[in-house]
Amino acid sequence: IKAMIQGLSPRIDFEAEIDWREIGSLANGIPGLYLEFADDSASLPDKHRFETPFGSVERLPEERQDVPTLRYAHIAGGRMTILQDSKYGHEVISGAVRPRVVRSSFDPDHAPEVAKSKMRYSIVFHEAPPTPAELTRLGADWNHPLIVMSATLQDGDMPVSKTFAEVKTASVVLSTIKPAEDGNGLILRLVEYNGAEAEAEVALAPEMVAGFTHAEVCDLMERPTGEAAKLVGTVLRTKVKANSLVTVRLS
């Protein structure tokens, strides 16, 4: 296991290489490997928070209970979050959370995880309890790091930093931005995570909205619903219901 401490960041990153050779059987049971994270500052019986598709769920810590999660698990009442990139079953033990690394089941495949594998995970420490929206951003950032590509030296007038789409509303996260399936316009999907209706405000780069003057709310099949959305210059505004998502087409 290799650990990396980020300078001036409340985060410790890990990369693990696993060479697993244990084989399960009906007689011997199912061997497995866990990582265990405990937060001594956690207050019990507060609930741990786990990510779900387009949301999150709180669960009371129950002894030896396996639960699913996506990119993060936040320990109950504490100041620590676990991020990971590939392990979606976690065991809950009071104030501890244990991501399952490997599990040697034996039927129908006699040795499904007997192999070498790699995983990335991280521990993030918080000064104050984070909101579900903040946790979602942490998980997305960890699972989708920037891809750096080298280039030759060249002249140009591009700025040192640039944002193509920025959500100004703290409780709302941009989950999708893509061309419309019928080729007519740009699709944005916004999700409210903190449990209160909000007006989402998204600032877009001029080149992202070039030629677009109209915004409309659509369903997941990208068909208009008749609900209101506004595009004023380069700023998109639309209402998002609590714990819900909205799809907007720019055209």
Side-chain angles (χ1 to χ4, degrees):
I1 297 177
K2 180 171 65 175
M4 294 158 286
I5 299 175
Q6 303 294 321
L8 303 178
S9 173
R11 195 179 85 192
I12 305 174
D13 298 342
F14 299 86
E15 292 182 0
E17 294 187 7
I18 302 104
D19 188 357
W20 185 251
R21 300 298 168 186
E22 298 289 335
I23 297 178
S25 67
L26 186 61
N28 298 324
I30 300 174
L33 178 67
Y34 291 87
L35 297 167
E36 181 170 318
F37 302 94
D39 186 350
D40 292 339
S41 70
S43 56
L44 299 177
D46 284 353
K47 297 177 181 179
H48 300 304
R49 183 176 293 277
F50 301 90
E51 187 179 24
T52 63
F54 297 105
S56 65
V57 62
E58 288 184 307
R59 297 186 176 96
L60 281 170
E62 297 181 18
E63 200 72 11
R64 305 305 295 262
Q65 179 191 29
D66 259 72
V67 298
T69 191
L70 298 182
R71 298 169 295 191
Y72 73 77
H74 180 66
I75 291 183
R79 303 292 169 87
M80 188 170 76
T81 300
I82 304 148
L83 309 175
Q84 50 77 35
D85 69 348
S86 56
K87 308 301 176 184
Y88 307 116
H90 289 48
E91 188 176 75
V92 176
I93 302 181
S94 298
V97 172
R98 297 170 53 174
R100 186 194 294 274
V101 178
V102 291
R103 180 176 183 269
S104 285
S105 58
F106 52 85
D107 183 55
D109 188 333
H110 76 286
E113 297 195 36
V114 177
K116 293 182 179 180
S117 60
K118 294 182 179 180
M119 70 171 293
R120 295 168 58 245
Y121 59 97
S122 183
I123 304 171
V124 182
F125 302 97
H126 310 281
E127 291 185 1
T131 66
E134 290 169 340
L135 290 170
T136 300
R137 292 188 185 96
L138 284 173
D141 177 62
W142 174 251
N143 276 261
H144 301 283
L146 290 174
I147 299 173
V148 180
M149 301 179 65
S150 60
T152 58
L153 292 174
Q154 50 193 295
D155 294 328
D157 57 4
M158 293 293 290
V160 175
S161 63
K162 184 175 179 63
T163 299
F164 291 97
E166 180 181 2
V167 180
K168 300 290 189 178
T169 310
S171 65
V172 176
V173 176
L174 176 65
S175 72
T176 303
I177 184 166
K178 69 179 188 72
E181 292 296 317
D182 61 8
N184 179 27
L186 189 70
I187 296 293
L188 293 89
R189 186 161 293 124
L190 300 156
V191 188
E192 199 290 318
Y193 281 94
N194 291 354
E197 182 173 317
E199 181 176 67
E201 180 178 319
V202 186
L204 298 162
E207 55 267 45
M208 295 291 291
V209 295
F212 297 146
T213 58
H214 181 64
E216 60 183 350
V217 176
C218 301
D219 61 16
L220 292 177
M221 299 298 291
E222 301 179 11
R223 300 169 299 197
T225 64
E227 297 176 68
K230 293 182 180 180
L231 179 65
V232 180
T234 61
V235 177
L236 169 68
R237 291 186 178 90
T238 186
K239 290 188 182 299
V240 189
K241 295 179 181 178
N243 298 316
S244 186
L245 61 88
V246 66
T247 301
V248 179
R249 181 200 295 261
L250 304 183
S251 60

